Amino acid sequence: MENVDIIGGGIAGLALAARLDPGRFTVTLHEQRPQLPTVGTTLAMWPEAQRALSRLGILGAVRGRGSVISAGALRNPGGKPVLSMEGEGLLGVSRTELLSLLDSAVPGVVRRVTERVESLPAPAGLTVGADGVHSVVRQAAWGKRSTAKATPFLAIRGVVPTVPSPGDVGEYWGKGEIFGMAPAVGGTNWYASFRSHLGPGRVDVEEALEETRGRYAGYSSAVQQVLSQASDENSLAQRIWTTPALARYAKGRVVLIGDAAHAMTPNLGRGACEALIDAVTLGGLLNDLPIEEALAKYERKRVLRTQQMRLASSLMGRISLAQRWQPARDALLKQAGKNVSRTHGKAKTSK
């Protein structure tokens, strides 16, 4: 039996604990929270992440507790559509529901330790850093150069009880700020991002909501309705942090997965998906191969892919949160919308 210490019991850590073969590995899961979080927003599961959930045996349950994300639009602050967005194949699920289902998939033989890990465990096996953007494991093994970096942007998000109208779903892009909303089970999932002086440490949710309401006071009535229902009990607020570029995710018998390896801005909605794929990929390789070979193959499969995603998400963030060249951005989006409309029109005519 090989010993595996998983540091972090979030999406990546739970998924890996669920994927590892209990007949081959003695797994210890370290998580500082005594219980799962009760507040969380909707996560979009892309097809590859859905396949990872299937390998864990919980895709059906996720579908039962989630909702299909079909379509929306890129809108101006007043709510007028600029560019249609298709969401075919996407599955939306609450972060709290996903964590609960992943938790239930972890074998009962996995040892759970409620503690804050401040240093790497004694080298008795494999140590997996699944401890997020501020990973203790990453900083211990990769050094100070791997310290997380704070962006200037605040992320505020939550779920409110009113279900949105299909004509209001999508992202609203303003000058240096975005606001998004989509249907969620039992209401509306919403999120906002903009430059803020709050943070970079702990952010007071009520203070963040007050600033958000002021920033979006000129937006559509649909946005105002969502923000009027948002409270510190159904919302989260934090500064957005990212990890620097890493060329490797494994050093000796230490390996990183999820945000510990490649925390990215939320603009592509891929952070949770890539964490799931990391965990299921690594777990499958460890089940089938010697540890050193499994780690090398994991890096070949995941480093380039996730680093490209991290850069693409950052680029999308710069575009969506543009300030000085926001008029040029909007003009390009408007023209793109016209081109899409003409293409759809020709396709319908040809039929």
Side-chain angles (χ1 to χ4, degrees):
M1 297 285 285
E2 298 271 7
N3 292 317
V4 177
D5 283 282
I6 302 174
I7 314 301
I11 290 173
L14 289 171
L16 179 60
R19 185 73 171 103
L20 288 172
D21 181 0
R24 179 176 175 185
F25 298 101
T26 299
V27 179
T28 302
L29 183 62
H30 304 257
E31 169 54 46
Q32 63 178 327
R33 296 174 305 196
Q35 59 188 18
L36 295 174
T38 57
V39 179
T41 53
T42 298
L43 302 172
M45 295 287 101
W46 291 72
E48 193 175 357
Q50 293 180 45
R51 288 192 289 273
L53 293 170
S54 179
R55 292 189 183 95
L56 296 174
I58 61 172
L59 178 58
V62 171
R63 284 175 173 163
R65 299 190 193 183
S67 57
V68 175
I69 300 175
S70 56
L74 187 58
R75 304 175 184 278
N76 66 18
K80 183 179 179 180
V82 178
L83 185 66
S84 64
M85 298 187 296
E86 299 297 327
E88 185 177 356
L90 298 188
L91 174 64
V93 61
S94 161
R95 179 182 289 273
T96 56
E97 292 284 6
L98 179 60
L99 286 169
S100 176
L101 290 169
L102 288 169
D103 186 71
S104 68
V106 175
V109 294
V110 170
R111 178 171 173 256
R112 297 177 185 247
V113 179
T114 302
E115 64 177 1
R116 179 178 175 82
V117 175
E118 300 288 356
S119 60
L120 292 182
L126 179 66
T127 298
V128 181
D131 48 343
V133 64
H134 299 292
S135 172
V136 170
V137 176
R138 186 185 68 245
Q139 293 185 54
W142 272 258
K144 290 185 178 180
R145 67 179 183 83
S146 71
T147 302
K149 298 179 180 179
T151 73
F153 304 108
L154 198 66
I156 311 95
R157 53 198 188 276
V159 177
V160 297
T162 302
V163 177
S165 164
D168 296 324
V169 171
E171 279 195 350
Y172 299 67
W173 286 14
K175 185 175 182 179
E177 55 202 19
I178 61 173
F179 189 97
M181 68 174 79
V185 175
T188 297
N189 176 71
W190 70 273
Y191 53 91
S193 187
F194 51 85
R195 288 171 177 82
S196 173
H197 70 281
L198 297 178
R202 185 177 179 84
V203 176
D204 181 80
V205 177
E206 190 53 52
E207 186 177 1
L209 285 172
E210 182 179 355
E211 183 174 356
T212 304
R213 293 188 184 102
R215 291 291 298 258
Y216 295 90
Y219 279 58
S220 75
S221 59
V223 173
Q224 304 309 312
Q225 182 181 23
V226 168
L227 289 177
S228 69
Q229 299 175 72
S231 70
D232 57 358
E233 296 180 348
N234 61 20
S235 307
L236 299 170
Q238 60 190 151
R239 182 68 71 90
I240 297 174
W241 293 74
T242 62
T243 54
L246 295 180
R248 299 199 60 185
Y249 292 167
K251 280 193 173 185
R253 289 216 163 188
V254 178
V255 62
L256 304 175
I257 60 175
D259 281 355
H262 46 70
M264 60 190 75
T265 65
N267 302 93
L268 292 181
R270 295 296 300 246
C273 292
E274 299 306 321
L276 273 171
I277 298 164
D278 281 354
V280 171
T281 300
L282 178 61
L285 292 169
L286 288 170
N287 290 341
D288 296 337
L289 301 170
I291 288 182
E292 288 74 14
E293 188 178 342
L295 295 182
K297 194 165 184 178
Y298 165 70
E299 288 194 303
R300 290 196 297 271
K301 283 178 172 288
R302 298 300 298 156
V303 172
L304 181 59
R305 162 73 174 178
T306 52
Q307 289 298 315
Q308 287 175 335
M309 196 69 68
R310 186 184 63 83
L311 291 172
S313 190
S314 177
L315 177 60
M316 180 59 72
R318 293 181 183 181
I319 293 172
S320 62
L321 293 164
Q323 288 185 308
R324 285 183 296 179
W325 47 282
Q326 172 252 339
R329 178 203 68 189
D330 291 352
L332 289 172
L333 289 173
K334 186 176 181 180
Q335 185 59 48
K338 290 179 179 178
N339 292 340
V340 170
S341 296
R342 282 197 293 266
T343 301
H344 285 176
K346 289 179 181 179
K348 289 179 181 179
T349 301
S350 63
K351 291 180 180 179

